[in-house]
Amino acid sequence: MSESSTWPPPGTDIDTPSAPRIYDYALGGAHNFAADRAAAEAFFTAYPDAPLVARSNRAFLQRSVRYCVSQGITQFLDLGSGIPTVGNVHEIATQLNPDARVVYVDNEPVAVAHTREIIADVPNVAIVDADMRDAEAVLHAPETQRLIDFSQPLGLMMVAVLHYVANDDGIADIMARYKSVLAPGSFLVISHTTEDPRPEIEAVIKKVFEEAGAPIIHRDRDEVTALFGGLEILEPGVVWTPEWQPDESDALHAEPFRSATFAAVARVP
Ligand SMILES: C[S@@+](CC[C@H](N)C(=O)[O-])C[C@H]1O[C@@H](n2cnc3c(N)ncnc32)[C@H](O)[C@@H]1O
């Protein structure tokens, strides 16, 4: 949060738990309130791995951004960005390259409002309030047009968001449209929740999300691979999040399957 920003954003309902703020709390962030923390603790009691899954996913996001910058990427389009705290794309990218440009996209009002406050004074970073399933709205948004040069390689981030996009939403067409704007040398970064390989844990996860009224779609390794639509997936392929360029500091390093999330990065030839 910048020093001159207002926290919480005017009009924020701090008494109703919010999914992006619960995720922020799981990451150890400061953009959450008592109601979010109480809901989060209840969730973690039912599913104790949840904060580890969130942190492992965010750690993958950070490693993938570092990798993209190391490959010369200076601009990122981050679909389903959430609240950009705790080492999100613009923090990592601009640490490595102060000229990096980032466009965040989210359609959840709390995430969008908090993002606006956090990036209010940050140059070359913007938020588009749009449903990422509407690729035209995202691609033609003024913020996207101002900051992204589609003639140059782009880091397209779809991290922990595609589990909200059903096959019936036309996910194959949505992916194809986004891929159609990627210049050679671009990278597509995906992480995607899948079934926990432990049936007893998977049953708990399903129940927790059903009761929260927040259905999510699991995809298996082949289905996640298919999302890349034939792009060259870089080594080590579609793996558990802690296995992508592993880092011993990842909380799930020793038991990557507990992430219940696949991750991969592809390069556009
Ligand atoms: C689990 S968070 C992931 C945040 C960040 N990408 C990360 O991995 O740390 C998922 C985010 O996707 C957003 N989201 C879900 N469906 C979306 C959609 N159709 N369009 C835009 N954002 C969406 C949610 O509001 C939420 O902020």
Side-chain angles (χ1 to χ4, degrees), residues 19-21 23 27 54 57-61 78-89 104-112 128-134 138 157-165 169 178 191:
R21 292 195 303 242
Y23 184 67
L27 293 172
N57 176 69
R58 185 59 69 97
F60 160 72
L61 176 142
D78 184 3
L79 307 179
S81 43
I83 300 177
T85 59
V86 199
N88 210 309
V89 174
Y104 290 123
V105 178
D106 211 292
N107 69 341
E108 206 282 337
V110 172
V112 172
V128 173
D129 181 357
D131 187 326
M132 59 80 68
R133 292 173 296 185
D134 185 352
V138 170
M157 314 294 295
M158 299 188 180
V159 180
V161 64
L162 293 173
H163 55 269
Y164 293 115
V165 183
D169 290 331
Y178 282 112
S191 76

Side-chain angles (χ1 to χ4, degrees), residues 50-175:
L52 303 180
V53 170
R55 286 176 200 177
S56 191
N57 176 69
R58 185 59 69 97
F60 160 72
L61 176 142
Q62 294 169 352
R63 294 196 300 278
S64 66
V65 170
R66 282 194 203 98
Y67 173 77
C68 289
V69 176
S70 78
Q71 299 301 301
I73 296 295
T74 57
Q75 49 177 6
F76 291 88
L77 181 59
D78 184 3
L79 307 179
S81 43
I83 300 177
T85 59
V86 199
N88 210 309
V89 174
H90 77 282
E91 294 174 271
I92 302 294
T94 56
Q95 271 164 17
L96 298 169
N97 179 351
D99 294 329
R101 306 183 305 282
V102 178
V103 173
Y104 290 123
V105 178
D106 211 292
N107 69 341
E108 206 282 337
V110 172
V112 172
H114 290 336
T115 302
R116 282 199 208 294
E117 291 299 320
I118 291 167
I119 66 171
D121 300 326
V122 185
N124 295 331
V125 182
I127 169 88
V128 173
D129 181 357
D131 187 326
M132 59 80 68
R133 292 173 296 185
D134 185 352
E136 302 312 323
V138 170
L139 297 171
H140 296 295
E143 298 85 353
T144 311
Q145 292 290 316
R146 177 168 64 85
L147 288 176
I148 304 294
D149 176 357
F150 285 102
S151 73
Q152 298 300 312
L154 172 70
L156 178 60
M157 314 294 295
M158 299 188 180
V159 180
V161 64
L162 293 173
H163 55 269
Y164 293 115
V165 183
N167 291 349
D168 287 349
D169 290 331
I171 192 164
D173 290 343
I174 293 168
M175 296 302 295

